[in-house]
């Protein structure tokens, strides 16, 4: 048998609904010299039978069974059995492009990379829709050379990449040299393993093409059980901080690390779906996180995302009742804005008052529409209906009010992460237009790539 090029490690728990799709897309990889190590983490559904069925017809599949111990422990068990030159840690509910492993492996071999990162989309299980995940790799913050040495862009390492394992390929010898395994967490278990390996990597490569589809909103996923183990997200960052100090790397990565920590803590607390877990997180951030991490001591000018710092400062300085009131007030204002915006959008769509200036733009380009009011809604609908653009990216400063709607409006902050041909400011107010234009110019956008509503013919 040929030497194993990639060990694919898949923790499996209650995955019967998606497991066949996952295994089909792994066994169908164009890279054939792989081993597939499936660790059944105490499933009580039909997962074990499906695994044995696939193992019986593909001798590259090995099934290991253990009592339920969590995804981290399952990955560690698979890691201890792996013999491949490279390691791929996949989730049992995701699915993959047929050439994912081949392309990642060849890129790794050519560049002698310790880690390869590739692009991903996500699939919303609740709506059956696909969504771009351009934010999972912030290309504008990458250094210009390849392969990348993470110690030469220390302000951005924790910002550029996301700390999950499933969109990366790791050189097995590098992982063994560093000696890292996954913490035995029930959730947030891969952040320590991934971030510490990246912090120590001297040769990293990325593939911008989308090679993996990550499933979200699966109610049985471990990421949806974090309320029971709410400490884990904080423990992950505490472990990283401790290990960075141990390796003598904390001062080197401090700015990037603390910025990512603040961003993560905001997302983590606001994603809690139980009142008890939310309150526990709030109290833990005040009692433990701020004294230990000292994020406020760095000051607002230290923050890469000032709005996150402002939120964090508000939380640390509020009582529990004050925090709830401020959140309630913000959500109430947003709900009022949302009702008004949706009413405007429905009227604009019915009227079709504005027609997109198709003659001004070449067909097949990527356009960023800046503005989600009446004009932006009309233009976006026409561009999607016509298929005129290769891609349409829609941004607005009030993007948060659209997050629970069908409108895919994003934050303007994504502009720096996107490849595009034109930015079209579709706001009627000339003063607001000018302010946005000046802001984009300051951010380095070429004036010739910016179009403004009312200034084109």
């Amino acid at each position: 048998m040929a030497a194993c090029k990639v060990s694919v490690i898949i923790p499996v728990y209650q995955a019967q609904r998606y497991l066949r799709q996952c295994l089909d897309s792994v066994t169908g990889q164009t890279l054939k010299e792989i081993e597939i190590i499936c660790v059944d983490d105490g499933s009580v559904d039909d997962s074990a039978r499906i695994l044995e069925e696939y193992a019986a017809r593909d001798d590259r599949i090995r099934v290991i069974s253990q009592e339920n111990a969590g995804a981290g422990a399952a990955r560690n068990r698979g890691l201890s059995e792996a013999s491949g030159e490279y390691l791929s840690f996949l989730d049992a509910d995701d699915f993959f492009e047929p050439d994912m492993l081949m392309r990642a492996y060849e890129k790794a071999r050519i560049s002698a990379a310790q880690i390869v990162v590739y692009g991903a989309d996500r699939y919303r299980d609740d709506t059956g829709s696909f969504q771009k995940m351009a934010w999972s790799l912030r290309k504008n913050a990458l250094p210009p050379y390849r392969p990348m040495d993470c110690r030469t862009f220390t302000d951005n390492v924790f910002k550029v990449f996301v700390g999950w394992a499933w969109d990366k390929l790791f050189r097995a010898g590098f992982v063994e040299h560093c000696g890292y395994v996954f913490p035995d967490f029930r959730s947030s278990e891969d952040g320590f393993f991934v971030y510490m390996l990246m912090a120590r990597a001297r040769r990293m490569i990325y593939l911008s093409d989308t090679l993996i589809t990550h499933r979200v909103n699966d109610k049985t996923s471990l990421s949806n059980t974090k309320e029971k183990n709410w400490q884990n997200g904080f423990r992950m960052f505490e472990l990283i901080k401790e290990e960075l100090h141990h390796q003598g790397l904390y001062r080197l990565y401090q700015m990037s690390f603390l910025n990512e920590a603040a961003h993560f803590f905001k997302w983590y607390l606001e994603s809690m779906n139980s009142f008890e877990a939310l309150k526990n997180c709030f109290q833990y951030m005040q009692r433990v996180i701020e004294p230990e991490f000292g994020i406020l001591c760095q000051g607002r000018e230290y923050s890469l995302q000032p709005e996150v710092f402002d939120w964090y400062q508000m939380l640390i300085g509020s009582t529990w009742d004050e925090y709830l009131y401020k959140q309630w007030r913000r959500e109430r204002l947003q709900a009022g804005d949302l009702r008004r915006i949706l009413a405007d959008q429905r009227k604009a769509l019915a009227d079709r008052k504005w027609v997109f200036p198709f003659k001004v733009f070449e067909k097949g380009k990527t356009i960023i529409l800046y503005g989600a009011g009446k004009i932006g809604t009309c233009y976006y609908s026409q561009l999607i209906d016509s298929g005129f653009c290769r891609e349409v990216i829609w941004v607005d400063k009030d993007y948060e009010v659209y997050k629970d709607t069908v409108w895919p409006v994003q934050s303007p902050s994504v502009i720096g992460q996107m490849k595009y041909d034109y930015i079209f400011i579709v706001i009627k107010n000339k003063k607001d237009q000018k302010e946005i234009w000046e802001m984009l110019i300051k951010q380095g956008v070429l004036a010739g790539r910016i179009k403004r509503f009312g200034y084109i013919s």
Side-chain angles (χ1 to χ4, degrees):
M1 182 178 176
C4 180
K5 294 179 178 178
V6 177
S7 294
V8 180
I9 298 167
I10 308 175
V12 178
Y13 180 70
Q14 307 292 75
Q16 65 175 23
R17 184 178 174 190
Y18 314 109
L19 190 52
R20 292 183 186 277
Q21 183 182 20
C22 172
L23 293 175
D24 286 342
S25 63
V26 176
T27 57
Q29 290 289 305
T30 55
L31 182 68
K32 300 304 180 184
E33 301 91 340
I34 64 176
E35 62 177 356
I36 305 164
I37 304 172
C38 300
V39 183
D40 180 15
D41 189 37
S43 300
V44 295
D45 65 356
D46 214 22
S47 295
R49 188 189 65 78
I50 295 171
L51 290 174
E52 294 298 340
E53 173 191 325
Y54 274 77
R57 63 177 189 244
D58 192 328
D59 61 8
R60 297 174 302 171
I61 298 177
R62 277 192 286 158
V63 179
I64 300 171
S65 298
Q66 66 178 32
E67 292 186 6
N68 181 247
R75 289 193 181 102
N76 291 338
R77 180 69 186 279
L79 181 59
S80 69
E81 300 283 338
S83 62
E85 182 184 358
Y86 281 84
L87 304 168
S88 174
F89 300 93
L90 303 179
D91 290 349
D93 55 355
D94 293 345
F95 46 102
F96 326 101
E97 293 301 309
D99 60 349
M100 177 184 75
L101 294 178
M102 176 69 80
R103 295 183 61 185
Y105 176 79
E106 288 181 345
K107 192 79 170 179
R109 288 298 303 272
I110 291 170
S111 58
Q114 296 162 321
I115 303 175
V116 181
V117 185
Y118 28 91
D121 280 345
R122 64 181 179 183
Y123 176 77
R124 286 187 62 97
D125 199 54
D126 55 348
T127 64
S129 60
F130 291 87
Q131 298 175 330
K132 297 287 185 183
M133 291 179 62
W135 48 266
S136 68
L137 179 63
R138 297 171 176 88
K139 300 173 189 176
N140 64 312
L142 292 172
Y145 55 84
R146 304 290 182 270
M148 300 170 284
D149 182 341
C150 285
R151 300 190 190 194
T152 62
F153 63 115
T154 55
D155 286 353
N156 287 322
V157 169
F158 288 88
K159 171 188 175 184
V160 169
F161 306 106
V162 181
W164 47 47
W166 47 260
D167 65 343
K168 300 173 182 71
L169 191 73
F170 302 89
R171 178 180 281 277
F174 173 61
V175 175
E176 183 179 6
H177 169 75
C178 293
Y180 295 133
V181 296
F182 292 86
D184 290 340
F185 293 173
R186 294 282 177 173
S187 60
S188 305
E189 76 288 339
D190 47 359
F192 170 81
F193 180 87
V194 173
Y195 277 132
M196 282 312 308
L197 287 174
M198 290 194 297
R200 295 180 63 177
R202 309 306 292 263
R203 300 181 69 84
M204 283 188 64
I205 287 290
Y206 82 91
L207 290 164
S208 58
D209 293 339
T210 298
L211 299 179
I212 186 167
T213 301
H214 179 60
R215 192 184 303 271
V216 296
N217 293 93
D218 168 20
K219 302 304 182 184
T220 64
S221 171
L222 283 174
S223 62
N224 288 316
T225 64
K226 62 182 179 293
E227 286 79 9
K228 299 177 183 177
N229 306 279
W230 61 267
Q231 308 97 322
N232 290 349
F234 302 114
R235 288 172 63 198
M236 174 185 72
F237 273 88
E238 289 168 335
L239 285 175
I240 296 170
K241 182 173 182 286
E242 180 182 332
E243 180 63 13
L244 287 173
H245 277 292
H246 179 71
Q247 295 294 331
L249 297 172
Y250 185 73
R251 287 189 177 275
L252 192 65
Y253 290 115
Q254 183 179 14
M255 181 176 183
S256 179
F257 172 72
L258 289 180
N259 271 277
E260 177 58 25
H263 179 268
F264 175 85
F265 295 150
K266 181 179 187 294
W267 169 84
Y268 193 67
L269 182 140
E270 292 184 342
S271 69
M272 290 294 158
N273 289 318
S274 81
F275 184 84
E276 182 181 3
L278 178 69
K279 186 173 183 179
N280 285 337
C281 289
F282 172 87
Q283 293 173 337
Y284 193 83
M285 287 179 67
Q286 290 190 332
R287 188 178 68 251
V288 178
I289 292 299
E290 177 52 25
E292 182 178 339
F293 285 72
I295 293 172
L296 291 183
C297 298
Q298 305 300 325
R300 192 175 191 268
E301 63 280 1
Y302 190 81
S303 179
L304 298 173
Q305 295 178 285
E307 69 277 9
V308 173
F309 182 88
D310 292 343
W311 173 89
Y312 182 86
Q313 186 177 46
M314 177 275 293
L315 181 141
I316 298 300
S318 299
T319 65
W320 173 240
D321 289 341
E322 288 171 341
Y323 171 77
L324 289 180
Y325 172 73
K326 290 171 184 175
Q327 292 296 99
W328 170 80
R329 188 172 183 272
R330 186 187 71 174
E331 291 171 5
R332 185 181 179 190
L333 289 171
Q334 288 180 347
D337 289 342
L338 181 59
R339 285 192 293 270
R340 174 182 54 77
I341 290 167
L342 290 176
D344 289 346
Q345 288 175 339
R346 283 192 293 269
K347 187 176 186 302
L349 283 173
D351 295 345
R352 288 282 183 169
K353 186 175 181 180
W354 293 279
V355 178
F356 185 83
F358 290 99
K359 292 182 180 180
V360 176
F361 298 91
E362 308 98 300
K363 188 174 182 179
K365 299 295 184 181
T366 295
I367 295 177
I368 295 179
L369 288 181
Y370 199 122
K374 298 178 183 179
I375 303 170
T377 301
C378 273
Y379 283 180
Y380 178 80
S381 299
Q382 292 168 47
L383 289 174
I384 295 301
D385 291 344
S386 66
F388 182 79
C389 295
R390 179 172 67 246
E391 185 176 5
V392 183
I393 302 163
W394 200 8
V395 304
D396 190 281
K397 66 180 179 64
D398 295 322
Y399 68 98
E400 286 190 345
V401 303
Y402 301 92
K403 64 182 179 180
D404 294 321
T405 75
V406 297
W407 304 106
V409 182
Q410 303 181 63
S411 166
S413 64
V414 305
I415 291 174
Q417 306 162 24
M418 300 292 188
K419 290 184 179 180
Y420 58 88
D421 298 294
Y422 298 104
I423 299 175
F424 190 8
I425 304 173
V426 289
I427 296 171
K428 196 172 184 180
N429 185 285
K430 297 295 189 289
K431 181 181 177 182
D432 291 344
Q433 275 192 30
K434 184 179 179 183
E435 289 178 357
I436 294 170
W437 186 86
E438 290 174 347
M439 177 193 67
L440 292 171
I441 294 296
K442 287 181 181 179
Q443 292 176 357
V445 178
L446 298 177
R449 300 178 75 180
I450 305 173
K451 306 289 186 183
R452 294 165 62 183
F453 177 79
Y455 287 87
I456 59 177
S457 57

